[in-house]
Amino acid sequence: MINISAEQGLYSTPVEIRVAASVTQLPIVRGLAETLVLLSDFTLDEVADIRLAVDEVCSTLIAVAGPDTSLNCRFTVGETELLVRVSGIAGKAGLPDQRSFGWHVLRTLTDEVQATQDSFDSTVSGYPTTVEFRRVRGKA
């Protein structure tokens, strides 16, 4: 985890956490996301939306994760937006289904969402997969 200095504040300082790719770790990631956006003057509705979006991204990646892998979550709070990047190792090739209900929820709760997947990486025995989203603060 990256330490945030009082001089810099939260803005533009990425905060990262690495957790096991397991549903038991979801409360930790949700809690971190919620704390960051609460401290960054997002509205309570925006906080709820971001928390749900983080949960959906992590759940999606956990569902495809290879055995004994982890999720790397990076949160960057800017002056007007939050950028979230969650990456993990998928056991099989293929991006998350962008026609699914979960992906529809992500598109509704965020201003931009995208998924990428690299080719098979033998050093990690899987397919590095990343989902990123952006949420603008104060947008109606």
Side-chain angles (χ1 to χ4, degrees):
M1 189 172 237
I2 294 175
N3 187 20
I4 301 171
S5 72
E7 297 82 36
Q8 276 185 306
L10 285 173
Y11 298 114
S12 299
T13 303
V15 175
E16 297 181 65
I17 188 170
R18 181 178 177 188
V19 297
S22 167
V23 294
T24 62
Q25 301 301 302
L26 284 174
I28 295 167
V29 179
R30 279 193 309 253
L32 176 59
E34 182 175 26
T35 300
L36 283 172
V37 294
L38 279 171
L39 293 173
S40 302
D41 297 326
F42 282 82
T43 68
L44 291 178
D45 286 341
E46 291 168 332
V47 170
D49 288 351
I50 290 166
R51 185 176 177 195
L52 184 57
V54 166
D55 186 74
E56 187 59 41
V57 167
C58 290
S59 296
T60 297
L61 290 177
I62 288 168
V64 300
D68 301 319
T69 60
S70 59
L71 293 181
N72 298 305
C73 307
R74 180 180 175 113
F75 303 90
T76 305
V77 180
E79 291 292 330
T80 60
E81 65 187 8
L82 170 72
L83 302 173
V84 177
R85 182 179 193 265
V86 182
S87 57
I89 305 299
K92 297 178 182 177
L95 290 172
D97 183 2
Q98 297 182 12
R99 295 169 297 163
S100 70
F101 178 73
W103 200 263
H104 174 72
V105 169
L106 280 173
R107 279 194 311 265
T108 302
L109 297 174
T110 64
D111 293 292
E112 181 182 344
V113 62
Q114 65 180 347
T116 57
Q117 186 174 73
D118 295 338
S119 56
F120 184 82
D121 184 340
S122 60
T123 60
V124 293
S125 300
Y127 300 85
T129 305
T130 301
V131 177
E132 297 177 275
F133 72 82
R134 181 175 63 89
R135 175 63 191 251
V136 176
R137 181 188 302 112
K139 184 179 170 191

PDB file of all heavy atoms in Angstrom, residues 81-101:
ATOM      1  N   GLU A  81     -12.178  13.689 -10.543  1.00  0.00           N
ATOM      2  CA  GLU A  81     -12.593  12.328 -10.847  1.00  0.00           C
ATOM      3  C   GLU A  81     -11.806  11.291 -10.055  1.00  0.00           C
ATOM      4  O   GLU A  81     -10.780  11.596  -9.453  1.00  0.00           O
ATOM      5  CB  GLU A  81     -12.415  12.044 -12.341  1.00  0.00           C
ATOM      6  CG  GLU A  81     -10.959  12.074 -12.776  1.00  0.00           C
ATOM      7  CD  GLU A  81     -10.797  11.952 -14.287  1.00  0.00           C
ATOM      8  OE1 GLU A  81     -11.793  11.992 -15.011  1.00  0.00           O
ATOM      9  OE2 GLU A  81      -9.651  11.813 -14.726  1.00  0.00           O
ATOM     10  N   LEU A  82     -12.324  10.083 -10.095  1.00  0.00           N
ATOM     11  CA  LEU A  82     -11.656   8.926  -9.511  1.00  0.00           C
ATOM     12  C   LEU A  82     -11.363   7.949 -10.638  1.00  0.00           C
ATOM     13  O   LEU A  82     -12.234   7.656 -11.462  1.00  0.00           O
ATOM     14  CB  LEU A  82     -12.568   8.238  -8.491  1.00  0.00           C
ATOM     15  CG  LEU A  82     -12.091   6.876  -7.980  1.00  0.00           C
ATOM     16  CD1 LEU A  82     -10.891   7.046  -7.056  1.00  0.00           C
ATOM     17  CD2 LEU A  82     -13.215   6.143  -7.281  1.00  0.00           C
ATOM     18  N   LEU A  83     -10.134   7.445 -10.674  1.00  0.00           N
ATOM     19  CA  LEU A  83      -9.753   6.405 -11.622  1.00  0.00           C
ATOM     20  C   LEU A  83      -9.485   5.136 -10.822  1.00  0.00           C
ATOM     21  O   LEU A  83      -8.747   5.170  -9.835  1.00  0.00           O
ATOM     22  CB  LEU A  83      -8.500   6.803 -12.396  1.00  0.00           C
ATOM     23  CG  LEU A  83      -8.583   8.096 -13.190  1.00  0.00           C
ATOM     24  CD1 LEU A  83      -7.213   8.458 -13.773  1.00  0.00           C
ATOM     25  CD2 LEU A  83      -9.614   7.987 -14.287  1.00  0.00           C
ATOM     26  N   VAL A  84     -10.085   4.044 -11.248  1.00  0.00           N
ATOM     27  CA  VAL A  84      -9.914   2.756 -10.568  1.00  0.00           C
ATOM     28  C   VAL A  84      -9.401   1.753 -11.584  1.00  0.00           C
ATOM     29  O   VAL A  84      -9.949   1.632 -12.685  1.00  0.00           O
ATOM     30  CB  VAL A  84     -11.239   2.253  -9.958  1.00  0.00           C
ATOM     31  CG1 VAL A  84     -11.062   0.886  -9.325  1.00  0.00           C
ATOM     32  CG2 VAL A  84     -11.770   3.255  -8.939  1.00  0.00           C
ATOM     33  N   ARG A  85      -8.344   1.030 -11.198  1.00  0.00           N
ATOM     34  CA  ARG A  85      -7.760  -0.004 -12.058  1.00  0.00           C
ATOM     35  C   ARG A  85      -7.619  -1.263 -11.216  1.00  0.00           C
ATOM     36  O   ARG A  85      -6.932  -1.256 -10.196  1.00  0.00           O
ATOM     37  CB  ARG A  85      -6.399   0.451 -12.561  1.00  0.00           C
ATOM     38  CG  ARG A  85      -5.729  -0.527 -13.483  1.00  0.00           C
ATOM     39  CD  ARG A  85      -4.387   0.052 -13.945  1.00  0.00           C
ATOM     40  NE  ARG A  85      -3.857  -0.692 -15.051  1.00  0.00           N
ATOM     41  CZ  ARG A  85      -2.976  -1.683 -14.926  1.00  0.00           C
ATOM     42  NH1 ARG A  85      -2.537  -2.030 -13.731  1.00  0.00           N
ATOM     43  NH2 ARG A  85      -2.538  -2.315 -15.986  1.00  0.00           N
ATOM     44  N   VAL A  86      -8.291  -2.326 -11.647  1.00  0.00           N
ATOM     45  CA  VAL A  86      -8.212  -3.605 -10.948  1.00  0.00           C
ATOM     46  C   VAL A  86      -7.684  -4.639 -11.935  1.00  0.00           C
ATOM     47  O   VAL A  86      -8.227  -4.793 -13.032  1.00  0.00           O
ATOM     48  CB  VAL A  86      -9.583  -4.050 -10.394  1.00  0.00           C
ATOM     49  CG1 VAL A  86      -9.451  -5.358  -9.624  1.00  0.00           C
ATOM     50  CG2 VAL A  86     -10.195  -2.964  -9.513  1.00  0.00           C
ATOM     51  N   SER A  87      -6.618  -5.322 -11.548  1.00  0.00           N
ATOM     52  CA  SER A  87      -6.050  -6.327 -12.436  1.00  0.00           C
ATOM     53  C   SER A  87      -5.857  -7.637 -11.685  1.00  0.00           C
ATOM     54  O   SER A  87      -5.702  -7.661 -10.464  1.00  0.00           O
ATOM     55  CB  SER A  87      -4.720  -5.840 -13.021  1.00  0.00           C
ATOM     56  OG  SER A  87      -3.823  -5.510 -11.995  1.00  0.00           O
ATOM     57  N   GLY A  88      -5.926  -8.710 -12.453  1.00  0.00           N
ATOM     58  CA  GLY A  88      -5.747 -10.045 -11.904  1.00  0.00           C
ATOM     59  C   GLY A  88      -5.327 -10.996 -13.010  1.00  0.00           C
ATOM     60  O   GLY A  88      -5.097 -10.581 -14.145  1.00  0.00           O
ATOM     61  N   ILE A  89      -5.248 -12.261 -12.669  1.00  0.00           N
ATOM     62  CA  ILE A  89      -4.853 -13.287 -13.627  1.00  0.00           C
ATOM     63  C   ILE A  89      -6.040 -14.211 -13.871  1.00  0.00           C
ATOM     64  O   ILE A  89      -6.493 -14.914 -12.959  1.00  0.00           O
ATOM     65  CB  ILE A  89      -3.654 -14.107 -13.099  1.00  0.00           C
ATOM     66  CG1 ILE A  89      -2.483 -13.188 -12.725  1.00  0.00           C
ATOM     67  CG2 ILE A  89      -3.242 -15.166 -14.110  1.00  0.00           C
ATOM     68  CD1 ILE A  89      -1.935 -12.364 -13.867  1.00  0.00           C
ATOM     69  N   ALA A  90      -6.543 -14.189 -15.101  1.00  0.00           N
ATOM     70  CA  ALA A  90      -7.659 -15.065 -15.469  1.00  0.00           C
ATOM     71  C   ALA A  90      -7.125 -16.457 -15.810  1.00  0.00           C
ATOM     72  O   ALA A  90      -6.050 -16.591 -16.403  1.00  0.00           O
ATOM     73  CB  ALA A  90      -8.413 -14.488 -16.664  1.00  0.00           C
ATOM     74  N   GLY A  91      -7.887 -17.450 -15.443  1.00  0.00           N
ATOM     75  CA  GLY A  91      -7.492 -18.823 -15.732  1.00  0.00           C
ATOM     76  C   GLY A  91      -7.728 -19.218 -17.176  1.00  0.00           C
ATOM     77  O   GLY A  91      -7.095 -20.148 -17.684  1.00  0.00           O
ATOM     78  N   LYS A  92      -8.633 -18.518 -17.856  1.00  0.00           N
ATOM     79  CA  LYS A  92      -8.961 -18.819 -19.248  1.00  0.00           C
ATOM     80  C   LYS A  92      -8.952 -17.534 -20.059  1.00  0.00           C
ATOM     81  O   LYS A  92      -9.159 -16.445 -19.526  1.00  0.00           O
ATOM     82  CB  LYS A  92     -10.349 -19.451 -19.347  1.00  0.00           C
ATOM     83  CG  LYS A  92     -10.473 -20.781 -18.650  1.00  0.00           C
ATOM     84  CD  LYS A  92     -11.880 -21.321 -18.761  1.00  0.00           C
ATOM     85  CE  LYS A  92     -11.991 -22.640 -18.021  1.00  0.00           C
ATOM     86  NZ  LYS A  92     -13.352 -23.157 -18.040  1.00  0.00           N
ATOM     87  N   ALA A  93      -8.757 -17.672 -21.357  1.00  0.00           N
ATOM     88  CA  ALA A  93      -8.783 -16.514 -22.251  1.00  0.00           C
ATOM     89  C   ALA A  93     -10.211 -15.992 -22.367  1.00  0.00           C
ATOM     90  O   ALA A  93     -11.171 -16.762 -22.307  1.00  0.00           O
ATOM     91  CB  ALA A  93      -8.249 -16.898 -23.629  1.00  0.00           C
ATOM     92  N   GLY A  94     -10.330 -14.698 -22.536  1.00  0.00           N
ATOM     93  CA  GLY A  94     -11.635 -14.094 -22.751  1.00  0.00           C
ATOM     94  C   GLY A  94     -11.915 -12.969 -21.782  1.00  0.00           C
ATOM     95  O   GLY A  94     -11.715 -13.107 -20.580  1.00  0.00           O
ATOM     96  N   LEU A  95     -12.351 -11.847 -22.330  1.00  0.00           N
ATOM     97  CA  LEU A  95     -12.710 -10.691 -21.522  1.00  0.00           C
ATOM     98  C   LEU A  95     -14.043 -10.927 -20.822  1.00  0.00           C
ATOM     99  O   LEU A  95     -14.842 -11.763 -21.263  1.00  0.00           O
ATOM    100  CB  LEU A  95     -12.817  -9.456 -22.410  1.00  0.00           C
ATOM    101  CG  LEU A  95     -11.506  -8.929 -22.981  1.00  0.00           C
ATOM    102  CD1 LEU A  95     -11.785  -7.829 -23.992  1.00  0.00           C
ATOM    103  CD2 LEU A  95     -10.614  -8.428 -21.856  1.00  0.00           C
ATOM    104  N   PRO A  96     -14.308 -10.177 -19.758  1.00  0.00           N
ATOM    105  CA  PRO A  96     -15.635 -10.259 -19.137  1.00  0.00           C
ATOM    106  C   PRO A  96     -16.719  -9.969 -20.170  1.00  0.00           C
ATOM    107  O   PRO A  96     -16.517  -9.168 -21.085  1.00  0.00           O
ATOM    108  CB  PRO A  96     -15.591  -9.170 -18.068  1.00  0.00           C
ATOM    109  CG  PRO A  96     -14.133  -8.966 -17.779  1.00  0.00           C
ATOM    110  CD  PRO A  96     -13.425  -9.249 -19.070  1.00  0.00           C
ATOM    111  N   ASP A  97     -17.848 -10.625 -20.016  1.00  0.00           N
ATOM    112  CA  ASP A  97     -18.962 -10.467 -20.949  1.00  0.00           C
ATOM    113  C   ASP A  97     -19.535  -9.051 -20.837  1.00  0.00           C
ATOM    114  O   ASP A  97     -20.156  -8.707 -19.831  1.00  0.00           O
ATOM    115  CB  ASP A  97     -20.037 -11.505 -20.653  1.00  0.00           C
ATOM    116  CG  ASP A  97     -21.200 -11.446 -21.622  1.00  0.00           C
ATOM    117  OD1 ASP A  97     -21.176 -10.617 -22.569  1.00  0.00           O
ATOM    118  OD2 ASP A  97     -22.149 -12.235 -21.444  1.00  0.00           O
ATOM    119  N   GLN A  98     -19.316  -8.250 -21.863  1.00  0.00           N
ATOM    120  CA  GLN A  98     -19.772  -6.869 -21.831  1.00  0.00           C
ATOM    121  C   GLN A  98     -21.258  -6.723 -22.154  1.00  0.00           C
ATOM    122  O   GLN A  98     -21.773  -5.613 -22.198  1.00  0.00           O
ATOM    123  CB  GLN A  98     -18.899  -6.022 -22.750  1.00  0.00           C
ATOM    124  CG  GLN A  98     -17.468  -6.010 -22.252  1.00  0.00           C
ATOM    125  CD  GLN A  98     -16.546  -5.145 -23.085  1.00  0.00           C
ATOM    126  OE1 GLN A  98     -16.983  -4.359 -23.913  1.00  0.00           O
ATOM    127  NE2 GLN A  98     -15.249  -5.292 -22.849  1.00  0.00           N
ATOM    128  N   ARG A  99     -21.933  -7.846 -22.341  1.00  0.00           N
ATOM    129  CA  ARG A  99     -23.388  -7.832 -22.522  1.00  0.00           C
ATOM    130  C   ARG A  99     -24.104  -8.282 -21.256  1.00  0.00           C
ATOM    131  O   ARG A  99     -25.322  -8.320 -21.209  1.00  0.00           O
ATOM    132  CB  ARG A  99     -23.784  -8.734 -23.682  1.00  0.00           C
ATOM    133  CG  ARG A  99     -23.247  -8.238 -25.026  1.00  0.00           C
ATOM    134  CD  ARG A  99     -23.430  -9.277 -26.092  1.00  0.00           C
ATOM    135  NE  ARG A  99     -22.615 -10.442 -25.684  1.00  0.00           N
ATOM    136  CZ  ARG A  99     -22.738 -11.656 -26.154  1.00  0.00           C
ATOM    137  NH1 ARG A  99     -23.626 -11.924 -27.067  1.00  0.00           N
ATOM    138  NH2 ARG A  99     -21.957 -12.635 -25.731  1.00  0.00           N
ATOM    139  N   SER A 100     -23.347  -8.605 -20.213  1.00  0.00           N
ATOM    140  CA  SER A 100     -23.932  -9.117 -18.980  1.00  0.00           C
ATOM    141  C   SER A 100     -24.601  -8.004 -18.178  1.00  0.00           C
ATOM    142  O   SER A 100     -24.339  -6.811 -18.385  1.00  0.00           O
ATOM    143  CB  SER A 100     -22.857  -9.781 -18.115  1.00  0.00           C
ATOM    144  OG  SER A 100     -21.978  -8.797 -17.596  1.00  0.00           O
ATOM    145  N   PHE A 101     -25.425  -8.397 -17.231  1.00  0.00           N
ATOM    146  CA  PHE A 101     -26.078  -7.434 -16.351  1.00  0.00           C
ATOM    147  C   PHE A 101     -25.042  -6.666 -15.536  1.00  0.00           C
ATOM    148  O   PHE A 101     -25.134  -5.454 -15.368  1.00  0.00           O
ATOM    149  CB  PHE A 101     -27.059  -8.141 -15.411  1.00  0.00           C
ATOM    150  CG  PHE A 101     -27.717  -7.203 -14.443  1.00  0.00           C
ATOM    151  CD1 PHE A 101     -28.688  -6.316 -14.869  1.00  0.00           C
ATOM    152  CD2 PHE A 101     -27.339  -7.191 -13.108  1.00  0.00           C
ATOM    153  CE1 PHE A 101     -29.279  -5.422 -13.978  1.00  0.00           C
ATOM    154  CE2 PHE A 101     -27.926  -6.308 -12.212  1.00  0.00           C
ATOM    155  CZ  PHE A 101     -28.899  -5.429 -12.649  1.00  0.00           C
TER     156      PHE A 101
END
